[in-house]
mmCIF file of all heavy atoms in Angstrom:
data_model
loop_
_atom_site.group_PDB
_atom_site.id
_atom_site.type_symbol
_atom_site.label_atom_id
_atom_site.label_comp_id
_atom_site.label_asym_id
_atom_site.label_seq_id
_atom_site.Cartn_x
_atom_site.Cartn_y
_atom_site.Cartn_z
ATOM 1 N N THR A 1 -22.476 -54.201 -8.856
ATOM 2 C CA THR A 1 -21.327 -54.277 -7.971
ATOM 3 C C THR A 1 -20.390 -55.381 -8.497
ATOM 4 O O THR A 1 -20.343 -55.634 -9.718
ATOM 5 C CB THR A 1 -21.772 -54.538 -6.511
ATOM 6 O OG1 THR A 1 -22.564 -55.748 -6.483
ATOM 7 C CG2 THR A 1 -22.561 -53.362 -5.956
ATOM 8 N N SER A 2 -19.706 -56.102 -7.616
ATOM 9 C CA SER A 2 -18.664 -57.033 -8.057
ATOM 10 C C SER A 2 -19.226 -58.231 -8.801
ATOM 11 O O SER A 2 -18.663 -58.660 -9.828
ATOM 12 C CB SER A 2 -17.798 -57.492 -6.901
ATOM 13 O OG SER A 2 -18.613 -58.003 -5.844
ATOM 14 N N HIS A 3 -20.338 -58.822 -8.329
ATOM 15 C CA HIS A 3 -20.909 -60.008 -9.027
ATOM 16 C C HIS A 3 -21.309 -59.638 -10.443
ATOM 17 O O HIS A 3 -21.241 -60.474 -11.340
ATOM 18 C CB HIS A 3 -22.072 -60.580 -8.249
ATOM 19 C CG HIS A 3 -21.683 -61.467 -7.094
ATOM 20 N ND1 HIS A 3 -21.265 -60.948 -5.901
ATOM 21 C CD2 HIS A 3 -21.578 -62.809 -6.997
ATOM 22 C CE1 HIS A 3 -20.983 -61.971 -5.071
ATOM 23 N NE2 HIS A 3 -21.146 -63.103 -5.736
ATOM 24 N N GLY A 4 -21.769 -58.425 -10.637
ATOM 25 C CA GLY A 4 -22.224 -58.028 -11.973
ATOM 26 C C GLY A 4 -21.085 -57.958 -12.977
ATOM 27 O O GLY A 4 -21.363 -57.963 -14.193
ATOM 28 N N GLU A 5 -19.835 -57.942 -12.498
ATOM 29 C CA GLU A 5 -18.720 -57.956 -13.417
ATOM 30 C C GLU A 5 -18.653 -59.225 -14.237
ATOM 31 O O GLU A 5 -17.952 -59.282 -15.266
ATOM 32 C CB GLU A 5 -17.397 -57.787 -12.654
ATOM 33 C CG GLU A 5 -17.248 -56.427 -11.991
ATOM 34 C CD GLU A 5 -16.005 -56.349 -11.127
ATOM 35 O OE1 GLU A 5 -15.197 -57.313 -11.152
ATOM 36 O OE2 GLU A 5 -15.829 -55.342 -10.446
ATOM 37 N N GLN A 6 -19.368 -60.251 -13.798
ATOM 38 C CA GLN A 6 -19.346 -61.514 -14.541
ATOM 39 C C GLN A 6 -19.830 -61.304 -15.978
ATOM 40 O O GLN A 6 -19.280 -61.897 -16.903
ATOM 41 C CB GLN A 6 -20.215 -62.561 -13.830
ATOM 42 C CG GLN A 6 -19.669 -62.975 -12.472
ATOM 43 C CD GLN A 6 -20.567 -63.953 -11.763
ATOM 44 O OE1 GLN A 6 -21.337 -64.707 -12.424
ATOM 45 N NE2 GLN A 6 -20.522 -63.979 -10.443
ATOM 46 N N LEU A 7 -20.825 -60.447 -16.137
ATOM 47 C CA LEU A 7 -21.367 -60.201 -17.491
ATOM 48 C C LEU A 7 -20.374 -59.462 -18.359
ATOM 49 O O LEU A 7 -20.123 -59.860 -19.530
ATOM 50 C CB LEU A 7 -22.673 -59.437 -17.417
ATOM 51 C CG LEU A 7 -23.940 -60.264 -17.152
ATOM 52 C CD1 LEU A 7 -23.895 -60.931 -15.775
ATOM 53 C CD2 LEU A 7 -25.172 -59.359 -17.228
ATOM 54 N N THR A 8 -19.797 -58.356 -17.834
ATOM 55 C CA THR A 8 -18.862 -57.578 -18.659
ATOM 56 C C THR A 8 -17.568 -58.329 -18.891
ATOM 57 O O THR A 8 -17.003 -58.244 -19.976
ATOM 58 C CB THR A 8 -18.576 -56.212 -17.964
ATOM 59 O OG1 THR A 8 -18.211 -56.426 -16.620
ATOM 60 C CG2 THR A 8 -19.818 -55.345 -18.025
ATOM 61 N N THR A 9 -17.091 -59.095 -17.896
ATOM 62 C CA THR A 9 -15.896 -59.909 -18.118
ATOM 63 C C THR A 9 -16.164 -60.965 -19.187
ATOM 64 O O THR A 9 -15.324 -61.190 -20.078
ATOM 65 C CB THR A 9 -15.481 -60.616 -16.816
ATOM 66 O OG1 THR A 9 -15.122 -59.652 -15.846
ATOM 67 C CG2 THR A 9 -14.320 -61.579 -17.040
ATOM 68 N N GLY A 10 -17.340 -61.573 -19.147
ATOM 69 C CA GLY A 10 -17.688 -62.546 -20.166
ATOM 70 C C GLY A 10 -17.739 -61.953 -21.535
ATOM 71 O O GLY A 10 -17.263 -62.547 -22.526
ATOM 72 N N LEU A 11 -18.325 -60.763 -21.665
ATOM 73 C CA LEU A 11 -18.377 -60.108 -22.961
ATOM 74 C C LEU A 11 -16.974 -59.803 -23.488
ATOM 75 O O LEU A 11 -16.693 -59.981 -24.678
ATOM 76 C CB LEU A 11 -19.190 -58.788 -22.835
ATOM 77 C CG LEU A 11 -20.688 -58.982 -22.642
ATOM 78 C CD1 LEU A 11 -21.346 -57.636 -22.265
ATOM 79 C CD2 LEU A 11 -21.353 -59.542 -23.882
ATOM 80 N N GLU A 12 -16.089 -59.328 -22.613
ATOM 81 C CA GLU A 12 -14.728 -59.014 -23.047
ATOM 82 C C GLU A 12 -13.972 -60.279 -23.461
ATOM 83 O O GLU A 12 -13.215 -60.234 -24.412
ATOM 84 C CB GLU A 12 -14.009 -58.271 -21.919
ATOM 85 C CG GLU A 12 -14.518 -56.863 -21.680
ATOM 86 C CD GLU A 12 -13.904 -56.205 -20.473
ATOM 87 O OE1 GLU A 12 -13.555 -56.920 -19.492
ATOM 88 O OE2 GLU A 12 -13.795 -54.962 -20.473
ATOM 89 N N ARG A 13 -14.195 -61.367 -22.765
ATOM 90 C CA ARG A 13 -13.503 -62.608 -23.109
ATOM 91 C C ARG A 13 -14.026 -63.150 -24.446
ATOM 92 O O ARG A 13 -13.269 -63.730 -25.229
ATOM 93 C CB ARG A 13 -13.665 -63.622 -22.002
ATOM 94 C CG ARG A 13 -12.848 -63.286 -20.758
ATOM 95 C CD ARG A 13 -12.997 -64.303 -19.661
ATOM 96 N NE ARG A 13 -12.460 -65.618 -20.063
ATOM 97 C CZ ARG A 13 -11.169 -65.960 -20.031
ATOM 98 N NH1 ARG A 13 -10.256 -65.083 -19.631
ATOM 99 N NH2 ARG A 13 -10.783 -67.180 -20.407
ATOM 100 N N LEU A 14 -15.290 -63.018 -24.695
ATOM 101 C CA LEU A 14 -15.838 -63.427 -25.978
ATOM 102 C C LEU A 14 -15.237 -62.602 -27.126
ATOM 103 O O LEU A 14 -14.896 -63.140 -28.185
ATOM 104 C CB LEU A 14 -17.367 -63.270 -26.012
ATOM 105 C CG LEU A 14 -18.151 -64.271 -25.137
ATOM 106 C CD1 LEU A 14 -19.627 -63.866 -25.095
ATOM 107 C CD2 LEU A 14 -18.009 -65.688 -25.617
ATOM 108 N N GLU A 15 -15.075 -61.320 -26.874
ATOM 109 C CA GLU A 15 -14.430 -60.461 -27.888
ATOM 110 C C GLU A 15 -12.997 -60.894 -28.131
ATOM 111 O O GLU A 15 -12.528 -60.881 -29.297
ATOM 112 C CB GLU A 15 -14.482 -59.009 -27.466
ATOM 113 C CG GLU A 15 -13.811 -58.051 -28.447
ATOM 114 C CD GLU A 15 -13.764 -56.632 -27.946
ATOM 115 O OE1 GLU A 15 -13.923 -56.396 -26.740
ATOM 116 O OE2 GLU A 15 -13.523 -55.739 -28.795
ATOM 117 N N SER A 16 -12.296 -61.277 -27.074
ATOM 118 C CA SER A 16 -10.897 -61.680 -27.213
ATOM 119 C C SER A 16 -10.758 -62.943 -28.098
ATOM 120 O O SER A 16 -9.766 -63.119 -28.794
ATOM 121 C CB SER A 16 -10.281 -61.956 -25.834
ATOM 122 O OG SER A 16 -10.222 -60.757 -25.075
ATOM 123 N N SER A 17 -11.791 -63.795 -28.037
ATOM 124 C CA SER A 17 -11.745 -65.036 -28.844
ATOM 125 C C SER A 17 -12.295 -64.827 -30.240
ATOM 126 O O SER A 17 -11.989 -65.627 -31.143
ATOM 127 C CB SER A 17 -12.485 -66.128 -28.128
ATOM 128 O OG SER A 17 -13.890 -65.806 -27.992
ATOM 129 N N ASN A 18 -13.113 -63.806 -30.426
ATOM 130 C CA ASN A 18 -13.705 -63.565 -31.749
ATOM 131 C C ASN A 18 -14.100 -62.095 -31.832
ATOM 132 O O ASN A 18 -14.984 -61.631 -31.165
ATOM 133 C CB ASN A 18 -14.958 -64.451 -31.960
ATOM 134 C CG ASN A 18 -15.480 -64.370 -33.370
ATOM 135 O OD1 ASN A 18 -15.304 -63.375 -34.080
ATOM 136 N ND2 ASN A 18 -16.147 -65.427 -33.798
ATOM 137 N N SER A 19 -13.410 -61.331 -32.683
ATOM 138 C CA SER A 19 -13.611 -59.893 -32.776
ATOM 139 C C SER A 19 -14.993 -59.507 -33.261
ATOM 140 O O SER A 19 -15.398 -58.345 -33.135
ATOM 141 C CB SER A 19 -12.564 -59.279 -33.703
ATOM 142 O OG SER A 19 -12.651 -59.803 -35.003
ATOM 143 N N MET A 20 -15.747 -60.465 -33.806
ATOM 144 C CA MET A 20 -17.106 -60.150 -34.203
ATOM 145 C C MET A 20 -17.960 -59.702 -33.006
ATOM 146 O O MET A 20 -18.862 -58.902 -33.139
ATOM 147 C CB MET A 20 -17.752 -61.378 -34.873
ATOM 148 C CG MET A 20 -19.205 -61.139 -35.326
ATOM 149 S SD MET A 20 -19.879 -62.602 -36.160
ATOM 150 C CE MET A 20 -19.860 -63.798 -34.827
ATOM 151 N N TYR A 21 -17.614 -60.235 -31.845
ATOM 152 C CA TYR A 21 -18.372 -59.923 -30.617
ATOM 153 C C TYR A 21 -17.743 -58.715 -29.893
ATOM 154 O O TYR A 21 -17.610 -58.737 -28.658
ATOM 155 C CB TYR A 21 -18.444 -61.127 -29.700
ATOM 156 C CG TYR A 21 -19.023 -62.342 -30.374
ATOM 157 C CD1 TYR A 21 -18.227 -63.484 -30.626
ATOM 158 C CD2 TYR A 21 -20.363 -62.365 -30.804
ATOM 159 C CE1 TYR A 21 -18.774 -64.596 -31.233
ATOM 160 C CE2 TYR A 21 -20.880 -63.496 -31.436
ATOM 161 C CZ TYR A 21 -20.075 -64.588 -31.653
ATOM 162 O OH TYR A 21 -20.623 -65.688 -32.286
ATOM 163 N N ASN A 22 -17.359 -57.710 -30.637
ATOM 164 C CA ASN A 22 -16.668 -56.590 -30.025
ATOM 165 C C ASN A 22 -17.604 -55.724 -29.179
ATOM 166 O O ASN A 22 -18.749 -55.437 -29.583
ATOM 167 C CB ASN A 22 -15.915 -55.740 -31.063
ATOM 168 C CG ASN A 22 -16.820 -55.246 -32.166
ATOM 169 O OD1 ASN A 22 -17.716 -55.950 -32.650
ATOM 170 N ND2 ASN A 22 -16.619 -54.001 -32.585
ATOM 171 N N VAL A 23 -17.142 -55.334 -28.031
ATOM 172 C CA VAL A 23 -17.865 -54.482 -27.107
ATOM 173 C C VAL A 23 -16.992 -53.299 -26.739
ATOM 174 O O VAL A 23 -15.730 -53.382 -26.763
ATOM 175 C CB VAL A 23 -18.302 -55.245 -25.834
ATOM 176 C CG1 VAL A 23 -19.249 -56.387 -26.152
ATOM 177 C CG2 VAL A 23 -17.112 -55.755 -25.059
ATOM 178 N N GLU A 24 -17.632 -52.206 -26.362
ATOM 179 C CA GLU A 24 -16.906 -51.071 -25.855
ATOM 180 C C GLU A 24 -17.607 -50.658 -24.547
ATOM 181 O O GLU A 24 -18.786 -50.258 -24.553
ATOM 182 C CB GLU A 24 -16.945 -49.908 -26.857
ATOM 183 C CG GLU A 24 -16.077 -48.732 -26.496
ATOM 184 C CD GLU A 24 -14.586 -49.044 -26.681
ATOM 185 O OE1 GLU A 24 -14.233 -49.846 -27.523
ATOM 186 O OE2 GLU A 24 -13.777 -48.419 -25.933
ATOM 187 N N ILE A 25 -16.873 -50.773 -23.434
ATOM 188 C CA ILE A 25 -17.450 -50.496 -22.108
ATOM 189 C C ILE A 25 -16.893 -49.185 -21.601
ATOM 190 O O ILE A 25 -15.679 -49.044 -21.432
ATOM 191 C CB ILE A 25 -17.153 -51.647 -21.127
ATOM 192 C CG1 ILE A 25 -17.734 -52.973 -21.674
ATOM 193 C CG2 ILE A 25 -17.714 -51.333 -19.747
ATOM 194 C CD1 ILE A 25 -17.330 -54.191 -20.879
ATOM 195 N N GLY A 26 -17.766 -48.231 -21.390
ATOM 196 C CA GLY A 26 -17.363 -46.952 -20.821
ATOM 197 C C GLY A 26 -17.687 -46.902 -19.346
ATOM 198 O O GLY A 26 -18.830 -47.076 -18.947
ATOM 199 N N TYR A 27 -16.667 -46.614 -18.550
ATOM 200 C CA TYR A 27 -16.892 -46.569 -17.107
ATOM 201 C C TYR A 27 -17.350 -45.159 -16.723
ATOM 202 O O TYR A 27 -16.598 -44.218 -16.760
ATOM 203 C CB TYR A 27 -15.624 -46.986 -16.382
ATOM 204 C CG TYR A 27 -15.254 -48.410 -16.721
ATOM 205 C CD1 TYR A 27 -14.253 -48.705 -17.628
ATOM 206 C CD2 TYR A 27 -15.980 -49.483 -16.156
ATOM 207 C CE1 TYR A 27 -13.955 -50.019 -17.979
ATOM 208 C CE2 TYR A 27 -15.691 -50.792 -16.502
ATOM 209 C CZ TYR A 27 -14.656 -51.058 -17.401
ATOM 210 O OH TYR A 27 -14.400 -52.379 -17.755
ATOM 211 N N SER A 28 -18.664 -45.055 -16.468
ATOM 212 C CA SER A 28 -19.344 -43.786 -16.175
ATOM 213 C C SER A 28 -19.503 -42.905 -17.379
ATOM 214 O O SER A 28 -19.709 -41.693 -17.254
ATOM 215 C CB SER A 28 -18.659 -43.016 -15.038
ATOM 216 O OG SER A 28 -18.705 -43.761 -13.830
ATOM 217 N N TYR A 29 -19.439 -43.486 -18.559
ATOM 218 C CA TYR A 29 -19.756 -42.738 -19.794
ATOM 219 C C TYR A 29 -20.177 -43.734 -20.869
ATOM 220 O O TYR A 29 -19.898 -44.929 -20.806
ATOM 221 C CB TYR A 29 -18.590 -41.899 -20.252
ATOM 222 C CG TYR A 29 -17.460 -42.705 -20.874
ATOM 223 C CD1 TYR A 29 -17.369 -42.842 -22.265
ATOM 224 C CD2 TYR A 29 -16.482 -43.292 -20.084
ATOM 225 C CE1 TYR A 29 -16.350 -43.578 -22.846
ATOM 226 C CE2 TYR A 29 -15.460 -44.024 -20.656
ATOM 227 C CZ TYR A 29 -15.377 -44.166 -22.039
ATOM 228 O OH TYR A 29 -14.383 -44.914 -22.600
ATOM 229 N N LEU A 30 -20.873 -43.206 -21.912
ATOM 230 C CA LEU A 30 -21.293 -44.025 -23.034
ATOM 231 C C LEU A 30 -20.298 -43.874 -24.180
ATOM 232 O O LEU A 30 -20.133 -42.767 -24.721
ATOM 233 C CB LEU A 30 -22.693 -43.617 -23.495
ATOM 234 C CG LEU A 30 -23.241 -44.428 -24.677
ATOM 235 C CD1 LEU A 30 -23.501 -45.880 -24.249
ATOM 236 C CD2 LEU A 30 -24.557 -43.796 -25.199
ATOM 237 N N PRO A 31 -19.640 -44.958 -24.561
ATOM 238 C CA PRO A 31 -18.666 -44.850 -25.666
ATOM 239 C C PRO A 31 -19.377 -44.590 -27.008
ATOM 240 O O PRO A 31 -20.556 -44.882 -27.173
ATOM 241 C CB PRO A 31 -17.998 -46.243 -25.676
ATOM 242 C CG PRO A 31 -18.397 -46.883 -24.410
ATOM 243 C CD PRO A 31 -19.708 -46.319 -24.014
ATOM 244 N N GLU A 32 -18.621 -44.063 -27.939
ATOM 245 C CA GLU A 32 -19.032 -43.938 -29.305
ATOM 246 C C GLU A 32 -18.162 -44.855 -30.124
ATOM 247 O O GLU A 32 -16.993 -44.572 -30.369
ATOM 248 C CB GLU A 32 -18.922 -42.477 -29.786
ATOM 249 C CG GLU A 32 -19.901 -41.538 -29.085
ATOM 250 C CD GLU A 32 -19.843 -40.140 -29.668
ATOM 251 O OE1 GLU A 32 -19.170 -39.958 -30.713
ATOM 252 O OE2 GLU A 32 -20.450 -39.232 -29.061
ATOM 253 N N SER A 33 -18.727 -45.959 -30.589
ATOM 254 C CA SER A 33 -17.927 -46.969 -31.252
ATOM 255 C C SER A 33 -18.849 -47.845 -32.094
ATOM 256 O O SER A 33 -20.042 -47.944 -31.800
ATOM 257 C CB SER A 33 -17.224 -47.834 -30.182
ATOM 258 O OG SER A 33 -16.693 -49.011 -30.725
ATOM 259 N N PRO A 34 -18.328 -48.509 -33.135
ATOM 260 C CA PRO A 34 -19.138 -49.445 -33.905
ATOM 261 C C PRO A 34 -19.382 -50.744 -33.169
ATOM 262 O O PRO A 34 -20.051 -51.642 -33.659
ATOM 263 C CB PRO A 34 -18.280 -49.692 -35.159
ATOM 264 C CG PRO A 34 -16.871 -49.383 -34.746
ATOM 265 C CD PRO A 34 -17.007 -48.308 -33.746
ATOM 266 N N ALA A 35 -18.860 -50.862 -31.951
ATOM 267 C CA ALA A 35 -19.051 -52.057 -31.128
ATOM 268 C C ALA A 35 -20.395 -51.971 -30.362
ATOM 269 O O ALA A 35 -21.122 -50.996 -30.456
ATOM 270 C CB ALA A 35 -17.899 -52.214 -30.152
ATOM 271 N N PHE A 36 -20.699 -53.023 -29.614
ATOM 272 C CA PHE A 36 -21.829 -52.987 -28.692
ATOM 273 C C PHE A 36 -21.413 -52.085 -27.508
ATOM 274 O O PHE A 36 -20.543 -52.440 -26.740
ATOM 275 C CB PHE A 36 -22.099 -54.412 -28.219
ATOM 276 C CG PHE A 36 -23.210 -54.564 -27.212
ATOM 277 C CD1 PHE A 36 -24.272 -53.673 -27.151
ATOM 278 C CD2 PHE A 36 -23.214 -55.614 -26.294
ATOM 279 C CE1 PHE A 36 -25.291 -53.803 -26.205
ATOM 280 C CE2 PHE A 36 -24.213 -55.780 -25.352
ATOM 281 C CZ PHE A 36 -25.285 -54.872 -25.329
#
């Protein structure tokens, strides 16, 4: 739920500061990407 967004927000902010930590978050689906 909402508190759990802390993890995904954190992952996205890490990616913004360093593209090595790239993630791909699919909302209700699994992305196909070279990212996490």
Side-chain angles (χ1 to χ4, degrees):
T1 55
S2 54
H3 279 81
E5 292 175 7
Q6 295 177 26
L7 277 64
T8 51
T9 297
L11 289 169
E12 290 173 330
R13 288 182 64 81
L14 290 172
E15 178 184 18
S16 295
S17 63
N18 188 334
S19 61
M20 180 178 64
Y21 304 113
N22 57 319
V23 297
E24 188 72 29
I25 301 172
Y27 298 101
S28 295
Y29 74 96
L30 181 66
E32 293 186 8
S33 167
F36 178 28

